[in-house]
Amino acid sequence: MWTHPAWPGRELPPRERLRSYASRCNAVEGNTTFYATPAARTVASWVEQTPPEFRFLLKLPKPITHERRLGDVAELVRGFLDAIEPLGERVHALWVQLPASFGPTDLGALAAFLRRLPRTHRTAVEVRHPVFFEDPRWAGRLERVLGEVGAEWVLFDTTVLFADAPVGAAEEEAWQKKPRLPRRSRALTAHPVVRYLGRDDDARTVEGWAHWLDTVVGWLREGRSPTIFVHTPDNARALDLARRFHEQVRARLPGVEPLPEPTPTGPLTLF
């Protein structure tokens, strides 16, 4: 996600908005790829709008993960990898987001799928079946499947959202759509991925990320390189909140590089 009606850059043509986003943050979740493999001209535009160090976490298309549930997908995977090849090292990881119904009996399919993936990109797997969070035995088995190929477990934290009753339409919608699962914060690789969902009240979102601030600082001190995405139900302030989280990390670890300085997107004004 790199565009929102409340964010800077909304006045730009659609094919220029990623450039505005990339002047403020250095990584993005590629949700659009869940719905369709991007066309060559689209990928070329992403390359043109981002610096070489920018990173995409790209979600595998729905037919691979949800419709065929990782079975008989070699041709689909090959087509997707061919499409994103121009991004090169900008692809931080292939994001395998699995449906909530993908449970313990499907681990064999996941293991086989991951073994067949080429090692051209890192892989990050997001599961939503409750048993992987509630039963240590199944969590351990999933970790072993991921560990065999060096894949990461995407950590999606919605605990702040569900801490008490929703306020407003956006929070109510999020309550209906987002997974209500225990928080998990164990990194499996040197490149952990966190998706943190707060509230539409900035203060509550900032208060709620205290756990992740401590965790991320600890990971960095261990030599890991985490990627953190900050969301709220309406996402209106998510861009600023992401930068705020990064500054709080830098306040503890001044050696962490700053995010880019935003480039102006509005019309120039003479004074």
Side-chain angles (χ1 to χ4, degrees):
M1 178 178 181
W2 56 73
T3 185
H4 189 283
W7 292 358
R10 60 190 177 277
E11 71 280 1
L12 297 172
R15 292 179 69 85
E16 291 293 324
R17 293 172 186 167
L18 176 56
R19 190 189 310 279
S20 172
Y21 176 96
S23 79
R24 290 166 171 80
C25 292
N26 56 14
V28 73
E29 292 176 341
N31 286 302
T32 60
T33 53
F34 180 69
Y35 301 100
T37 294
R41 65 181 182 279
T42 299
V43 175
S45 173
W46 295 351
V47 172
E48 194 274 331
Q49 292 183 69
T50 56
E53 64 274 12
F54 189 84
R55 294 293 177 260
F56 292 82
L57 181 70
L58 292 176
K59 193 181 292 187
L60 290 185
K62 183 178 181 179
I64 296 172
T65 56
H66 287 57
E67 295 173 7
R68 299 194 185 182
R69 298 173 70 90
L70 308 183
D72 189 25
V73 293
E75 186 174 346
L76 292 174
V77 170
R78 189 178 307 111
F80 182 75
L81 294 179
D82 288 346
I84 67 171
E85 190 275 334
L87 289 170
E89 293 186 0
R90 289 176 175 84
V91 180
H92 177 73
L94 303 176
W95 176 11
V96 186
Q97 186 184 79
L98 297 169
S101 60
F102 197 99
T105 59
D106 299 299
L107 280 183
L110 176 61
F113 172 78
L114 293 176
R115 285 195 295 266
R116 287 193 295 266
L117 276 181
R119 298 290 179 262
T120 50
H121 301 295
R122 285 187 290 271
T123 306
V125 177
E126 181 181 335
V127 294
R128 296 188 172 188
H129 196 291
V131 75
F132 294 124
F133 299 83
E134 298 168 354
D135 189 330
R137 296 171 300 174
W138 285 112
R141 292 182 189 182
L142 175 57
E143 285 187 0
R144 287 194 291 274
V145 167
L146 299 176
E148 287 177 359
V149 294
E152 187 54 85
W153 183 333
V154 175
L155 307 172
F156 188 20
D157 181 10
T158 61
T159 55
V160 172
L161 172 68
F162 290 111
D164 48 51
V167 178
E171 290 192 359
E172 289 178 1
E173 183 180 3
W175 261 53
Q176 297 299 317
K177 294 183 176 181
K178 302 303 180 183
R180 187 184 303 216
L181 297 166
R183 181 169 58 202
R184 174 186 167 83
S185 51
R186 172 176 159 82
L188 303 184
T189 72
H191 300 275
V193 176
V194 176
R195 307 180 67 225
Y196 167 69
L197 176 59
R199 304 293 292 256
D200 286 334
D201 180 330
D202 285 7
R204 297 188 67 189
T205 297
V206 172
E207 180 184 12
W209 74 36
H211 168 84
W212 291 113
L213 186 59
D214 292 340
T215 301
V216 167
V217 168
W219 283 339
L220 289 166
R221 286 174 172 158
E222 293 169 0
R224 301 181 196 265
S225 179
T227 301
I228 316 299
F229 298 106
V230 177
H231 290 276
T232 66
D234 69 10
N235 273 322
R237 296 270 301 152
L239 199 59
D240 292 334
L241 286 164
R243 292 180 63 86
R244 185 170 174 181
F245 181 88
H246 190 273
E247 284 305 310
Q248 288 192 6
V249 172
R250 291 191 71 234
R252 295 199 193 180
L253 296 175
V256 172
E257 292 186 11
L259 288 173
E261 283 300 317
T263 56
T265 57
L268 295 176
T269 302
L270 297 177
F271 294 94

